[in-house]
Amino acid sequence: MRYLLTTAFMAAGLLVGAAAHAQAWPSKPIRIVVPFSAGGPADITSRTLAPRLTELLGQPIVVDNRAGANGVIGADHVIKSAPDGYTLLMATASVVAINMVTYIKPPYDTLRDLQPLTPVMTTSSLVVIHPSIPSRTLKELMALAKARPNQIVFGSAGTGGTLHLALEMLNKDANVKITHAPYKGAAPAVIDVIAGQISGMFVDLPVISPYVRAGRVRALATANPQRTQHFPDIPTAKESGYPTVEMTNYYAMLAPAKTPREIVARLHDAIVKAVATPAVREKLLAVGADPTTMPVEEFARYLRADIEKWGKLVQSVGIQFER
């Protein structure tokens, strides 16, 4: 009986301690780890949310760029951080779903090692090229690629990510050989497209839309299932004759696994409120993003289904990589 009472008191003490810890949170700055270079969509999104989250949580929000290995370096850092609500991950479909199925030995298990919080936005991807390339449509670009095997070079945010997979789907669908050039994030690849150092790339709207509007790059198609409301005159890849090229990306916030439920709930509520703030929504919409949030449990189910979807697609395309 004494043992049972002691055990009960210990358990109660742990619960009280956890509750007190959650009540004290946050008591210091919170970091959002962006696993890509500065200036890319994940970075833009994090810096758009940070001021409002600072207001809601009462602590500074620090954006920490840790680029490399298609998001693996940044994600691994968050996974190994203390599950105390002070280190968060701004992830993409590449980081939390595609990395699970494109690597022969996955670097981590999203559903085991990370705690889903909520998506922040979804976005379309565009096929863009440097204006010096004469192609005016995606079909014309594919004809050029057939005439010049391996001479057309497309950048991406990293090997095995959404932008790379979209390129591989296009290569297979059009039966062409466009060379892949991986970067440590979308922003440096975009810089090289604008400079004419590479031919083009698939790229998410938040980082490329200003350059499309300014005529610095030419957009040929969207990889979305439907035309995007932000550029309604740009046809889809399917409309252009390439039905398997379909890519909608999302940006989402996650925490290390085993983060206390009370802190998860407070983080989720703050992020949802931040995304719903008119000024934040306007900024996201202005760069071509579509603000989107979900309850924690719904997002966890969404991630599980997304990993399964990408697993089937990767198997059909026949793409897997060593790390």
Side-chain angles (χ1 to χ4, degrees), residues 59-84:
Q59 290 291 338
I61 305 296
V62 180
V63 177
D64 181 4
N65 295 90
R66 292 178 178 258
N70 195 39
V72 170
I73 291 173
D76 186 63
H77 176 78
V78 173
I79 287 166
K80 292 176 179 175
S81 297
D84 55 10

Side-chain angles (χ1 to χ4, degrees), residues 5-6 10 21 30 34 40 52 54 57 64 97 126 128 206 218 241 250 267 284 311-312:
L5 287 172
T6 301
M10 287 176 63
H21 177 72
I30 297 167
V34 176
R52 182 63 178 133
T54 294
L57 294 172
D64 181 4
L126 296 181
V128 301
R218 183 182 304 130
Y250 54 86
L267 279 167
L284 293 177
K312 292 176 183 176

Side-chain angles (χ1 to χ4, degrees), residues 216-256:
R216 304 284 298 279
V217 296
R218 183 182 304 130
L220 302 181
T222 174
N224 238 33
Q226 299 87 29
R227 294 193 183 201
T228 170
Q229 63 172 328
H230 304 286
F231 291 97
D233 294 335
I234 298 175
T236 66
K238 184 176 181 179
E239 288 175 313
S240 302
Y242 307 100
T244 68
V245 181
E246 186 176 305
M247 185 76 61
T248 301
N249 203 359
Y250 54 86
Y251 292 76
M253 298 280 273
L254 299 95

